[in-house]
């Protein structure tokens, strides 16, 4: 394990990982138990692409305020887009299952 905070991989590892994900997606589309194929393909892709550098992906970020700023920005952006869409004339249609949630429960 390296001591620096960056991880590296090669293009061939990324290609093999992408192929594992594509194979998992094909299994997902072809069979009824395909979620397991996608899960296994994802795990294989993770191991191939990141190998020993996976540790770096789980280190606590140094600037946590950026995450908070991103979440707040996302909410503000969502409010702006929904208000603009309503003013233009788009109507938001709720999912009928959500409207009748008490009946479902």
């Amino acid at each position: 394990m390296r001591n620096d905070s960056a991880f590296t991989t090669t293009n061939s590892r990324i290609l093999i990982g992408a192929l594992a994900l594509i194979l998992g997606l094909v299994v997902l589309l072809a069979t009824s138990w395909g979620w397991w194929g996608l899960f296994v393909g994802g795990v294989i892709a993770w191991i191939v692409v990141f190998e020993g550098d996976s540790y770096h992906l789980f280190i606590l970020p140094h600037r946590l305020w950026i995450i908070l700023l991103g979440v707040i920005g996302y909410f503000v952006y969502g409010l702006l887009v929904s208000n603009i869409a309503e003013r233009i004339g788009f109507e938001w249609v709720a999912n009928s299952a959500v409207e009748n949630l008490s009946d479902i429960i």
Side-chain angles (χ1 to χ4, degrees), residues 65-81:
W65 62 271
I66 293 177
I67 297 172
L68 180 61
L69 184 66
V71 169
I72 292 170
Y74 179 75
F75 283 128
V76 169
Y77 175 76
L79 288 172
L80 287 174
V81 168

Side-chain angles (χ1 to χ4, degrees), residues 11-102:
N11 289 339
S12 61
R13 288 186 173 279
I14 293 173
L15 181 63
I16 293 170
L19 291 175
L21 284 175
I22 290 171
L23 182 63
L25 183 63
V26 168
V27 171
L28 171 67
L29 295 173
T31 64
S32 62
W33 50 269
W35 289 107
W36 284 105
L38 188 58
F39 176 75
V40 171
V43 169
I44 291 170
W46 179 279
I47 291 169
V48 167
V49 172
F50 297 113
E51 54 178 344
D53 291 328
S54 296
Y55 169 76
H56 293 293
L57 298 174
F58 296 104
I59 294 175
L60 188 65
H62 296 288
R63 299 179 184 150
L64 289 175
W65 62 271
I66 293 177
I67 297 172
L68 180 61
L69 184 66
V71 169
I72 292 170
Y74 179 75
F75 283 128
V76 169
Y77 175 76
L79 288 172
L80 287 174
V81 168
S82 66
N83 283 332
I84 291 171
E86 285 179 2
R87 290 176 195 251
I88 291 174
F90 289 107
E91 294 182 19
W92 299 108
V93 178
N95 186 349
S96 61
V98 174
E99 291 177 359
N100 301 320
L101 187 59
S102 61

